[in-house]
Amino acid sequence: MLSDRILNMGYSKTLEMTSKARELKELGYNIINLSVGEPNFNTPSFILNAAKKAINEGYNYYTPISGLKNLKEIICNKFKRDNNLNYKISQIVVSNGVKQSIINIFLALLNKDDEVIIPAPYWVSYYEMVKFCKAKPIIIPTTIKDNFKITYKQLKNVINYKTKIFVFNTPCNPTGSVYSKEELKNLVKVLSKFDKIIIISDEIYEYIIYGKKHISLASFPEVYNKTVTLNGLSKSFAMTGWRVGYMGGPEWIAKACEKIQGQTTSCVNIIAQCASIEALKNNTKKSLKKIINEFKIKRDLIISILNKIPQFKFKIPEGTFYIFIDISFLLKNKKYNFYIKSSNNFAMYLLNKCHIATVSGEAFGYKNGLRISYANDKKKIIEGFNRIKNYLK
C-alpha cells in the first residue's frame, strides 16, 4: 500500500545509528555516542531567557508563513554583517530547520530526471531528497588527498545544460573541510557560465571554524542571483531541538518555498522564532568564541589520539565538530578484512562490540569512510578511542 516514493527512500543513517545507540543504552550498555550531529552543551542562557519572556508575554499565535518580520530583518542584518550579502525580507524564508529549507527548494525547482550535482562525501539527506523528487543525483567523488574538496576541473567535466541544481556545503559535514576564497573563485568561474543553474549553499556550520575565514558563495557577484544561502541555529547555538533554519535567495524561489511551506507545516513555532531573534542580533562570533575554542580543544585531542592509530588515515578538519576517517587499510588488509567487510559493517562492529556509535562513510557517499563526532565530553572521547584501539589489537 505504500507509495513508490517512500519505498525508494532510505532511512537517515545518522538518525538510525543514534536510535540504535539509544536502544542499547536503555538496555543498560555503556554506550559512547560519537555519531550525533549535536553540540553537547546547553542553549545559551540569553536565548533561553528570550524564550521565557515570549511565553510570559503571551506569544502563542501563528506567525506569517515565512517568519516574523522582525526575525527576517535580523536575518538580513546577519547576512550583511557576517557574509556581505544584501537580502530584503521578501527574500527570506524561516523554516523548521535547514532540512526543511532544502526540501522546500528541491520541491519548488525539480522535475523528473532533472540533474542535481552533489560533491561526495555529502550530508546524508541531500541524496535521498533528490531521489524523493524523482530527479537524478550526479555525484562528484573526492579523495582524502584533495582534503575531500572538488576541483574546478571535476565540476567542469560534470556540469551541463541538464543540470538544475548544484548543492554545496562549506564547512562540510561530514569531512570538516573548508573551501578557501581561491577555491570558491575557481568553482564560480564554471558555475557563472550556466544561466539556469541554481546553487544551494548550505552554511549551517559557518561559525564552527578553526583559524580560517568562512566565505559565502553568494558573495561572488557572478552567482549572487542564482544562489540560495542556507543557515540556521541548530549547530552553533546548540538549538537542534528548536528547529529553526532559514534561507536567503532570489525572491521568486523564496515565494515558491513559502507556498510549499504554507501547504505543509506553515510557520515555525513562535517561541523558537523569538529566541532566534535574540541569538542572531548579538555579535554572534564574539558570543560563540568560548564554544568554538572548546570544540577546537576537542578536535586537537582527537587528532593526538588518532596519530597513534596507524590503521586510520585522516585530514585535520578545519570546521564542524566531525572528523572523517579513511578506513581503506582495514578493508584491504587480510588481518582485518576477515572481520570487517565494509564501513557499514565496521560501524556496526564498533557499536555491538565496543559500544561506540559512529556513522558509516557509505551513508555519506564514501564507502571507505567513518564519521566521528567530537561533540562529546573529553573523558568519553578518550574512553571511546581507547576501546577502538583495543578492538583493533
Side-chain angles (χ1 to χ4, degrees), residues 10-66:
Y11 286 95
S12 167
K13 293 296 181 185
T14 51
L15 297 180
E16 193 175 15
M17 185 58 87
T18 301
S19 176
K20 286 176 181 175
R22 192 181 294 120
E23 287 171 15
L24 287 173
K25 197 168 186 177
E26 287 171 358
L27 290 172
Y29 292 98
N30 179 15
I31 302 296
I32 295 175
N33 196 343
L34 301 180
S35 73
V36 68
E38 186 168 42
N40 64 316
F41 52 85
N42 293 325
T43 305
S45 57
F46 70 95
I47 299 173
L48 297 176
N49 291 335
K52 292 171 189 173
K53 183 181 177 187
I55 293 169
N56 293 335
E57 292 180 357
Y59 283 79
N60 55 9
Y61 46 82
Y62 290 130
T63 75
I65 292 162
S66 60

Side-chain angles (χ1 to χ4, degrees), residues 35-133:
S35 73
V36 68
E38 186 168 42
N40 64 316
F41 52 85
N42 293 325
T43 305
S45 57
F46 70 95
I47 299 173
L48 297 176
N49 291 335
K52 292 171 189 173
K53 183 181 177 187
I55 293 169
N56 293 335
E57 292 180 357
Y59 283 79
N60 55 9
Y61 46 82
Y62 290 130
T63 75
I65 292 162
S66 60
L68 288 166
K69 183 182 177 184
N70 49 345
L71 173 56
K72 290 166 73 174
E73 286 172 345
I74 291 288
I75 290 169
C76 289
N77 292 339
K78 181 265 168 215
F79 274 132
K80 179 63 180 170
R81 179 191 71 210
D82 296 344
N83 311 103
N84 196 29
L85 297 175
N86 291 304
Y87 290 123
K88 300 178 290 186
I89 62 170
S90 58
Q91 295 176 273
I92 306 296
V93 178
V94 181
S95 299
N96 294 278
V98 174
K99 190 175 275 190
Q100 185 181 21
S101 299
I102 296 167
I103 193 63
N104 281 349
I105 298 165
F106 284 166
L107 289 170
L109 297 179
L110 292 174
N111 293 311
K112 188 178 178 182
D113 295 331
D114 282 339
E115 293 186 358
V116 179
I117 295 175
I118 308 173
Y122 47 72
W123 176 59
V124 292
S125 293
Y126 296 148
Y127 188 90
E128 292 296 334
M129 285 181 179
V130 170
K131 282 180 20 187
F132 183 79
C133 295

Side-chain angles (χ1 to χ4, degrees), residues 212-249:
K212 292 192 82 171
K213 185 179 179 182
H214 170 74
I215 298 166
S216 292
L217 204 52
S219 65
F220 292 85
E222 306 96 305
V223 293
Y224 170 80
N225 287 323
K226 61 170 74 181
T227 302
V228 184
T229 306
L230 305 180
N231 216 316
L233 291 96
S234 293
K235 309 300 182 181
S236 302
F237 295 94
M239 292 175 70
T240 49
W242 297 68
R243 309 310 303 134
V244 183
Y246 55 88
M247 59 154 280

Side-chain angles (χ1 to χ4, degrees), residues 40-41 207-212 288-304 316-322 374-376 378 381:
N40 64 316
F41 52 85
Y207 298 122
I208 306 173
I209 196 165
Y210 316 110
K212 292 192 82 171
L288 295 176
K289 191 174 180 181
K290 185 178 177 183
I291 292 164
I292 308 309
N293 284 341
E294 185 64 24
F295 275 135
K296 186 178 182 299
I297 289 167
K298 290 176 183 178
R299 182 202 67 166
D300 294 345
L301 169 65
I302 215 169
I303 288 165
S304 69
I316 297 173
E318 300 161 322
T320 75
F321 39 73
Y322 310 112
Y374 48 89
N376 209 322
K378 281 182 266 190
I381 291 170

